[in-house]
Amino acid sequence: MAVPAAQSPMKLMALQLLLWHSALWTVQEATPLDPASSLPQSFLLKCLEQVRKIQGDGAALQEKLCATYKLCHPEELVLLRHSLGIPWAPLSSCPSQALQLTGCLSQLHSGLFLYQGLLQALEGISPELGPTLDTLQLDVADFATTIWQQMEDLGMAPALQPTQGAMPAFTSAFQRRAGGVLVASHLQRFLELAYRVLRHLAQS
């Protein structure tokens, strides 16, 4: 009859251990995920690679516009930017100190989608710049697709993809070339911030 008495403390310890594991699991489920932990490292590294590729494409377009048409300083075209209505793409949900993962990915995709439309509006800029513009446009579209697919994987994507809004109307060759300088400059600033955010997430 001594055996059941010896087993009783063991059963109690087993029950306590089970309750402890259950409590730990509950706490882990209730703890919000760190934003970086929700994003695969492979996705972040691919994004960083795509950003660098687009930055190189954009720099090539800027250099050719400067060398061929002497359009080298976007700050000199501010008035034209306002008259053409060339928009900016915000990344207000992406600061590392207050990152909103869903909002940040959504703004990244929306911004890339916007620049894709702006680059399409520049078609016919010049025979010399056409191939460079086409490459830039394709790489921006690929990056947007990467972001969208990750949003779908995380269940963050809207039911429908966004539709392109009204784009600036470039009515002359000069407006297209000046618009190319401005769009490329805006895109580079957008990518600089995107790169910092993605690098921060990759290193977290």
Side-chain angles (χ1 to χ4, degrees):
M1 300 298 295
V3 175
Q7 286 181 341
S8 181
M10 293 179 64
K11 288 182 179 179
L12 182 60
M13 288 178 61
L15 180 60
Q16 288 175 332
L17 187 61
L18 181 61
L19 291 171
W20 180 80
H21 275 294
S22 177
L24 179 61
W25 181 256
T26 301
V27 169
Q28 288 176 332
E29 283 194 321
T31 303
L33 285 174
D34 177 67
S37 68
S38 304
L39 296 173
Q41 192 74 2
S42 58
F43 162 74
L44 294 169
L45 294 177
K46 181 179 181 180
C47 286
L48 289 170
E49 182 181 345
Q50 287 181 298
V51 169
R52 287 190 291 266
K53 175 70 166 65
I54 297 170
Q55 286 176 320
D57 297 339
L61 180 63
Q62 289 174 306
E63 288 168 6
K64 290 180 180 180
L65 282 164
C66 179
T68 307
Y69 300 106
K70 308 304 178 188
L71 294 168
C72 307
H73 305 290
E75 61 274 11
E76 295 176 356
L77 301 169
V78 173
L79 292 177
L80 185 61
R81 178 177 73 82
H82 288 298
S83 65
L84 290 174
I86 298 175
W88 293 88
L91 282 177
S92 55
S93 296
C94 294
S96 57
Q97 65 272 19
L99 179 67
Q100 302 169 26
L101 186 57
T102 302
C104 184
L105 289 177
S106 179
Q107 285 190 333
L108 275 171
H109 181 267
S110 296
L112 291 166
F113 191 65
L114 170 66
Y115 287 114
Q116 189 179 346
L118 289 169
L119 292 168
Q120 287 174 346
L122 292 171
E123 286 182 359
I125 188 170
S126 77
E128 300 84 4
L129 297 176
T132 305
L133 183 66
D134 290 343
T135 300
L136 179 58
Q137 187 177 321
L138 286 172
D139 287 338
V140 169
D142 286 345
F143 188 20
T145 299
T146 299
I147 298 292
W148 183 266
Q149 288 175 342
Q150 186 59 45
M151 290 170 66
E152 287 186 326
D153 290 345
L154 295 173
M156 296 178 176
L160 297 174
Q161 290 221 26
T163 55
Q164 200 66 262
M167 289 291 111
F170 301 109
T171 57
S172 67
F174 172 76
Q175 284 189 357
R176 282 194 185 87
R177 292 161 191 164
V181 174
L182 291 166
V183 170
S185 175
H186 290 190
L187 177 59
Q188 294 288 44
R189 293 183 188 181
F190 177 84
L191 292 170
E192 286 169 11
L193 180 53
Y195 188 87
R196 287 200 297 269
V197 171
L198 293 163
R199 185 175 59 183
H200 168 75
L201 290 172
Q203 294 172 348
S204 297

